[in-house]
Amino acid sequence: RFQACVYFASVFQAMSCGIHYLASVFMAVTPDFVCGFPGNVSSILFHNSSALSIQDIWTLWTSTDNYIVVQLENGDIWELNQCSRSKREVPLDLAYEYQGNKSVFPCSDGFLYDNTKWKSTVVTQWDLVCDREWLAKLIQPTFMLGVLIGAVIFGDIADRLGRQRVIWFTSAGQFVFGIAVAFTFDYYSFVVVRFLLAMVSSGYLVVAFVYVTEFVGIKARTWASMHVHAFFAMGIMIVALVGFLVRTWWVYQIFLSIATIPFVLCCWMLPETPFWLLSEERYEDAQKVINTMARWNKINTACKVSELCSVQQDDLVSDRTGEKDTSSTKKHNILDLFCNWQIARRTITVWLIWFTGSLGYYVFSLSSVSLGGNEYLNLFLIGAVELPCYIIACVAMDKLGRRNTLIPFLILSALICVLIMFIPQDFNILIILANMAGKFSIGVAFGLIYLYTAELYPTIVRSLAVGSGSMMCRVGSVVAPFCVYLRSVWIFMPLLLVGIMALLSGILTIMLPETLGKPLTNTLVEATEIGRNKKSCSGKTPPAHSGAAPEKIEMFGQETFSIEK
């Protein structure tokens, strides 16, 4: 009961992370637009249709190459394009076609936007179009850069100051910075505040993984950690719902941010994890938490910290009196992930899977609003399809194995990317279903790689392996928005890139060893032997402890993974 309450309270806030990660898909949308005109308009013409106002024209607008002809009250006739406007030198009768001389002027009077779908976006607020379009395209990449930095900073702070304090700070930060974004006064303050919002959102998500896995028992740990992703997906669904209901960007941002309030009001009740308290030798505080857990779970005799500590002390003494293990004194670095060909090939493949999983995840998510049909429903379905994918991943990875699940879903996602290219653009429903299938398959691979990476590497470099893989994941999330922008070059370019990366990752995964049912390794020698290659990393790491019981090694391996994740 105690673990369940802590778990659901913590992962509830993960929805806010999903909300802020994908909020820009509607907040920074660029509607149809043309140059503004200098003066009061008397007549408006678009092809053979006349209208009383510009807003009546947007339903007829079909291409960015179109232009609108307006006649002002002083008799001047202007042709309004997207990034320029032309004044006809000889204003004859109002006609759409004109072969005479024109004077071209910049859009010094601002722009006119189609507000039939969105009353206001950050693009329309600060005119992020034409020569300022690149500023709009930097909104999501700068957010993802904040995600990368936040994961590094708050992951380290959580190890130093504790999980509880970081959860307090990051959850409060999500609310404060989320509301502050809505009241920014210009583009640059908007980007800076969203960058800070990205840091605290990423920090919370990273520490929440650690927090829940340190409280949940080994039996349910795989399911619990995997379904943190599911709550993130629910946040994406909320973005679609709020985007449909609220069409002004700053009101939309406020509504998304208040989803944090319930957790902010109760997060101070969450305790520190006993694992961290024991690592800091705060035994009395750890005992208080354990007693609370026992009381909630109706256990008469609580575990005694003093007994646990005495066992650990006995193990420590036996280690010190035996042969000195140089792995406990040697500091390992990133080069240890390339100590021989087997480990190096494994590292390159794992990094590629992390990068591909993140790239595909965000390409499918961010591009969902451009698939045609109802963009709000598209994003909702892209988020909803994740919910069953993590259940399938959990079942498959335990029944078929980690590698045997990863390979088919990576290759399947590549095939789906190719399939989408051959679907006619008029078949909107079929395109949406295919994109949902692509998101499903890449989601399985993305969720599985967390655990698989931890099992592929030994204890002495497991933190480095998971951490470096996570960094490649963040790099993929930064690259994803730029990949989506390549739709302007060729509509299928993002899918082509994701398909190539997924196919390459799937083929390379064949060479990875299966880890299902195998004990976690402690040294690089043991990790290399998983791949049935006896070539050792001699000189880099010593042999494993021979006196440790298998149960004990497995237990500490599981705990190590939970902390590093």
Side-chain angles (χ1 to χ4, degrees):
R1 185 182 301 138
F2 182 89
Q3 283 88 336
C5 291
V6 168
Y7 177 79
F8 285 108
S10 301
V11 297
F12 174 83
Q13 182 69 0
M15 288 193 296
S16 292
C17 300
I19 286 171
H20 294 305
Y21 276 44
L22 273 296
S24 67
V25 294
F26 296 131
M27 188 191 307
V29 67
T30 302
D32 294 327
F33 65 95
V34 293
C35 266
F37 44 81
N40 297 322
V41 64
S42 61
S43 300
I44 302 173
L45 189 64
F46 182 73
H47 290 293
N48 295 323
S49 302
S50 59
L52 298 176
S53 68
I54 294 292
Q55 295 302 321
D56 298 330
I57 297 295
W58 296 122
T59 56
L60 307 174
W61 190 272
T62 57
S63 171
T64 57
D65 295 329
N66 292 332
Y67 62 91
I68 298 174
V69 178
V70 297
Q71 185 173 32
L72 305 183
E73 292 179 348
N74 61 7
D76 292 341
I77 297 178
W78 291 80
E79 293 181 7
L80 307 179
N81 299 84
Q82 282 207 320
C83 296
S84 65
R85 56 185 180 174
S86 304
K87 181 181 179 182
R88 295 178 179 178
E89 296 294 341
V90 182
L92 301 175
D93 293 337
L94 183 63
Y96 194 74
E97 300 294 338
Y98 175 76
Q99 303 299 327
N101 296 327
K102 306 175 187 177
S103 299
V104 180
F105 296 90
C107 301
S108 55
D109 291 293
F111 299 87
L112 302 173
Y113 297 96
D114 176 11
N115 58 16
T116 53
K117 280 189 176 181
W118 278 83
K119 294 182 179 179
S120 172
T121 71
V122 295
V123 172
T124 64
Q125 179 88 13
W126 296 304
D127 289 335
L128 305 180
V129 293
C130 298
D131 58 341
R132 288 168 56 86
E133 182 183 9
W134 65 277
L135 294 174
K137 291 185 174 181
L138 282 179
I139 290 176
Q140 188 66 16
T142 53
F143 183 91
M144 289 303 182
L145 184 61
V147 168
L148 189 155
I149 296 174
V152 175
I153 292 176
F154 286 105
D156 181 65
I157 293 176
D159 286 338
R160 297 174 183 271
L161 302 182
R163 291 78 166 98
Q164 181 192 51
R165 293 179 181 178
V166 173
I167 282 179
W168 289 354
F169 178 80
T170 53
S171 57
Q174 283 190 75
F175 175 72
V176 172
F177 292 129
I179 297 295
V181 166
F183 295 97
T184 48
F185 52 86
D186 63 6
Y187 169 80
Y188 299 102
S189 62
F190 170 82
V191 170
V192 169
V193 176
R194 265 184 56 91
F195 183 85
L196 298 174
L197 175 61
M199 289 181 61
V200 295
S201 298
S202 174
Y204 181 86
L205 197 60
V206 169
V207 177
F209 268 111
V210 176
Y211 189 77
V212 299
T213 50
E214 288 184 355
F215 267 114
V216 176
I218 294 175
K219 182 174 65 174
R221 186 164 296 149
T222 299
W223 284 78
S225 60
M226 285 285 284
H227 281 79
V228 175
H229 294 288
F231 283 86
F232 184 94
M234 291 174 65
I236 298 176
M237 298 163 64
I238 292 174
V239 169
L241 179 61
V242 175
F244 175 75
L245 297 175
V246 183
R247 305 299 176 89
T248 302
W249 78 267
W250 60 271
V251 179
Y252 161 85
Q253 176 65 27
I254 291 175
F255 271 91
L256 291 178
S257 300
I258 61 177
T260 312
I261 290 181
F263 184 78
V264 171
L265 295 178
C266 69
C267 68
W268 59 272
M269 299 172 62
L270 295 178
E272 184 56 81
T273 67
F275 283 106
W276 185 83
L277 293 172
L278 288 174
S279 70
E280 295 293 309
E281 299 182 354
R282 292 170 55 180
Y283 303 119
E284 292 184 4
D285 293 333
Q287 187 65 63
K288 290 179 181 178
V289 175
I290 292 173
N291 291 340
T292 303
M293 294 170 67
R295 188 164 58 253
W296 274 63
N297 295 336
K298 297 182 178 180
I299 296 175
N300 297 326
T301 305
C303 176
K304 299 298 181 182
V305 171
S306 57
E307 297 176 1
L308 291 176
C309 292
S310 64
V311 172
Q312 293 177 0
Q313 289 294 332
D314 291 341
D315 293 337
L316 184 60
V317 170
S318 63
D319 287 343
R320 286 178 177 173
T321 55
E323 290 186 2
K324 292 233 176 178
D325 188 347
T326 57
S327 66
S328 62
T329 59
K330 177 184 174 181
K331 291 185 178 180
H332 295 272
N333 55 50
I334 200 73
L335 296 178
D336 289 307
L337 300 180
F338 299 88
C339 69
N340 66 19
W341 170 241
Q342 291 292 327
I343 298 296
R345 186 176 61 185
R346 187 178 304 178
T347 299
I348 293 171
T349 303
V350 167
W351 282 2
L352 186 62
I353 297 171
W354 278 91
F355 178 85
T356 302
S358 180
L359 180 69
Y361 182 93
Y362 287 106
V363 164
F364 279 116
S365 298
L366 294 173
S367 61
S368 62
V369 296
S370 305
L371 298 177
N374 190 310
E375 58 265 42
Y376 308 103
L377 179 60
N378 294 351
L379 184 63
F380 184 88
L381 294 176
I382 284 292
V385 76
E386 286 189 59
L387 302 182
C389 99
Y390 298 125
I391 298 176
I392 298 296
C394 287
V395 173
M397 67 195 296
D398 287 337
K399 300 294 184 182
L400 304 177
R402 283 72 160 118
R403 183 188 63 179
N404 296 336
T405 301
L406 194 58
I407 293 171
F409 278 103
L410 281 172
I411 295 178
L412 177 62
S413 62
L415 294 177
I416 291 173
C417 288
V418 175
L419 175 64
I420 294 174
M421 297 181 191
F422 292 95
I423 300 176
Q425 291 299 296
D426 297 335
F427 290 59
N428 288 336
I429 296 178
L430 193 57
I431 291 174
I432 293 169
L433 291 175
N435 275 269
M436 289 176 63
K439 177 69 177 297
F440 179 94
S441 56
I442 206 73
V444 171
F446 193 30
L448 190 153
I449 191 60
Y450 280 86
L451 179 60
Y452 194 30
T453 302
E455 293 177 340
L456 283 172
Y457 291 90
T459 303
I460 57 175
V461 293
R462 189 172 294 127
S463 178
L464 281 170
V466 177
S468 62
S470 180
M471 289 295 291
M472 294 304 297
C473 167
R474 311 301 175 190
V475 172
S477 65
V478 173
V479 173
F482 293 108
C483 188
V484 174
Y485 298 149
L486 291 177
R487 285 175 61 92
S488 60
V489 178
W490 184 42
I491 191 171
F492 296 124
M493 184 64 77
L495 290 173
L496 178 63
L497 295 176
V498 172
I500 292 173
M501 298 296 292
L503 181 61
L504 180 61
S505 301
I507 294 173
L508 291 177
T509 303
I510 297 174
M511 296 183 288
L512 293 178
E514 180 56 68
T515 59
L516 177 64
K518 296 182 180 179
L520 295 177
T521 57
N522 286 332
T523 68
L524 286 165
V525 176
E526 296 174 359
T528 304
E529 290 174 353
I530 295 180
R532 298 178 182 176
N533 189 325
K534 301 301 182 182
K535 182 178 178 180
S536 70
C537 299
S538 59
K540 289 229 174 238
T541 180
H545 290 294
S546 59
E551 294 83 357
K552 186 175 177 182
I553 293 175
E554 183 69 18
M555 181 186 72
F556 285 131
Q558 292 284 358
E559 302 304 343
T560 302
F561 162 62
S562 71
I563 293 172
E564 288 152 3
K565 190 169 184 184

